[in-house]
Amino acid sequence: MDSYDWFVENYQRPLLILTIGMLLYNIPVLIYKLQLTFQAVLYLLFCHDKSWKKPQDPASFFSPVLSSGGDVGRKTIYFVRHGESTWNDTFNKGNHRSALVFVIGFIPGLIKAVMYEMYLLIGGKMDR
């Protein structure tokens, strides 16, 4: 009997019971994650984001306002950017890496992202 068989034989059932217990202890998080998954699947199946109308040229509606000489107000806009998430790092190629590096790192990145999501789920962490 090799070490893998020994490990599976002796620790599979206790680890499964512990995982189920942690999920039941964190049932609100489990329900929340299941709702998010259900919404995501429904959106994936029924969304119409695959095609959209080309937006109107901004010059067509700003030209009359700007040429009339009217007073144009000034507003300050603050842009807040979030950090790079695990999913973005996994699924977006980005400019910082070549296609070859992206393809080579995709499967390990996918495994890392799924394991992190499992950690959040089992640990009862909510990422709202």
Side-chain angles (χ1 to χ4, degrees), residues 13-85:
R13 182 170 288 149
L15 287 175
L16 182 63
I17 291 170
L18 178 65
T19 302
I20 291 171
M22 291 177 77
L23 288 174
L24 291 175
Y25 181 75
N26 299 312
I27 198 80
V29 175
L30 178 64
I31 291 171
Y32 173 71
K33 295 277 187 174
L34 288 174
Q35 287 173 339
L36 285 178
T37 303
F38 182 69
Q39 288 174 352
V41 168
L42 285 179
Y43 184 79
L44 178 69
L45 294 175
F46 299 112
C47 75
H48 299 288
D49 286 353
K50 295 163 192 73
S51 63
W52 59 88
K53 291 187 249 178
K54 186 175 179 181
Q56 186 179 6
D57 183 18
S60 65
F61 54 88
F62 281 125
S63 321
V65 174
L66 295 174
S67 63
S68 68
D71 189 23
V72 178
R74 176 178 232 173
K75 294 196 183 245
T76 302
I77 299 175
Y78 296 97
F79 292 97
V80 179
R81 185 188 183 280
H82 65 83
E84 184 80 5
S85 71

Side-chain angles (χ1 to χ4, degrees), residues 33 36-37 40 81-94 96-97 102 105-121 125 127:
K33 295 277 187 174
L36 285 178
T37 303
R81 185 188 183 280
H82 65 83
E84 184 80 5
S85 71
T86 306
W87 288 105
N88 286 344
D89 188 41
T90 302
F91 291 106
N92 299 340
K93 177 181 166 273
H96 63 283
R97 57 186 172 180
F102 171 73
F106 180 73
I107 297 298
L110 184 62
I111 292 170
K112 176 185 169 189
V114 168
M115 295 302 289
Y116 185 67
E117 283 295 323
M118 290 302 297
Y119 159 73
L120 290 176
L121 178 64
K125 310 245 187 270
D127 51 351

